[in-house]
Amino acid sequence: MKNVNRASLSDAQKFSLVRREAIYTGLALAGLIIFWLIAGFGTASLDVKICHVPLWAVLGTVGVWLVAILISFVLSRILFKDVDLGGEDDGR
């Protein structure tokens, strides 16, 4: 879909783009949940501490936020496209 004027996309192409972005978002959520499980529960048996806080607690909280921010950045900068979906402005 490269080199296509975004305003000239058909409704079917716009729907396909929205569907693709929704799939990527769902996969990102699944990846984040898997990271949370591995980082939080997978490291619970390790006796590693960061500033007197167990590694599982740091990775399961702050680590998940950092990974979520990274995933959001990648999704918004690389995968998502700004497309006018049309429709009437209802004045809100």
Side-chain angles (χ1 to χ4, degrees), residues 12-25 80 83 85:
Q13 289 172 320
K14 290 177 185 178
F15 179 75
S16 176
L17 187 64
V18 169
R19 184 176 180 272
R20 180 181 65 98
E21 291 176 358
I23 290 170
Y24 282 134
T25 302
F80 290 175
V83 176
L85 298 177

Side-chain angles (χ1 to χ4, degrees), residues 61-80:
T61 55
V62 177
V64 172
W65 278 103
L66 294 176
V67 171
I69 290 169
L70 178 67
I71 289 172
S72 299
F73 181 80
V74 169
L75 286 175
S76 66
R77 296 290 180 171
I78 296 173
L79 298 173
F80 290 175

Side-chain angles (χ1 to χ4, degrees), residues 1-9 13 81:
M1 207 181 286
K2 292 182 180 178
N3 299 328
V4 175
N5 185 0
R6 292 179 184 164
S8 68
L9 293 176
Q13 289 172 320
K81 305 294 181 223

Side-chain angles (χ1 to χ4, degrees), residues 1 10-13 17 20-21 27-28 32-33 38 42-44 46-47 51 55 61 69 74 76 84-86 88:
M1 207 181 286
S10 70
D11 286 343
Q13 289 172 320
L17 187 64
R20 180 181 65 98
E21 291 176 358
L27 291 173
L32 189 61
I33 291 170
I38 293 170
T43 60
L46 300 177
D47 192 28
C51 296
L55 179 64
T61 55
I69 290 169
V74 169
S76 66
D84 181 19
L85 298 177
E88 297 292 323

